[in-house]
Amino acid sequence: MSLAVLRVLGGGLALSLMVGEGIRTWGTGRPWPFWFDDYWTGGLLLAGAILMSRPTPLRSHLFIAGWAACLGMLFGSFFGKIYDPGSSNPGNFDLGFLTILIFMAFATALVGLVWSLVEVARK
């Protein structure tokens, strides 16, 4: 049951990152390196969440890598907005609202990474 919840949490985070970045970036002309990270880390996490329907060691590692990649990407994004909001490009969002959304995603990725490590260690 725990793994199923973790997979849904990972899939939800992955899709929210990709859809949210699409909304944030649409029509703003942001350079691709600043939006592509959400798509590749979200894609990695989504692939891991889907593949964990039949867990293997390789699939577990992929899932953990997806959580870790999302956490790393969100770390820089969140703390960049906290410490240097003037250089942030919120795109189509209000900066304060975007910072809250990114914090929630960051906290989810942190919990997901720790939880997935615990789940894999138990097996």
Side-chain angles (χ1 to χ4, degrees), residues 17-95:
L17 287 173
M18 292 186 281
V19 170
E21 187 61 42
I23 294 168
R24 175 185 177 191
T25 303
W26 190 265
T28 63
R30 289 179 70 220
W32 73 269
F34 298 105
W35 55 261
F36 186 72
D37 59 345
D38 289 271
Y39 291 100
W40 80 264
T41 58
L44 182 63
L45 182 57
L46 185 60
I50 291 168
L51 290 172
M52 284 300 286
S53 64
R54 292 189 349 229
T56 67
L58 178 61
R59 291 173 180 198
S60 296
H61 295 149
L62 179 70
F63 193 39
I64 291 169
W67 282 114
C70 285
L71 182 61
M73 180 264 305
L74 290 162
F75 182 90
S77 183
F78 174 67
F79 286 105
K81 285 165 187 48
I82 294 294
Y83 288 105
D84 191 13
S87 69
S88 294
N89 180 355
N92 294 319
F93 284 102
D94 171 71
L95 180 61

Side-chain angles (χ1 to χ4, degrees), residues 2-14 17 45 48-49 52 59-72 74 103-121:
S2 182
L3 182 58
V5 173
L6 187 57
R7 289 178 58 226
V8 169
L9 188 65
L13 177 62
L17 287 173
L45 182 57
M52 284 300 286
R59 291 173 180 198
S60 296
H61 295 149
L62 179 70
F63 193 39
I64 291 169
W67 282 114
C70 285
L71 182 61
L74 290 162
F103 171 74
M104 290 174 13
F106 175 72
T108 301
L110 180 60
V111 168
L113 176 61
V114 171
W115 189 1
S116 64
L117 287 168
V118 169
E119 280 296 310
V120 169

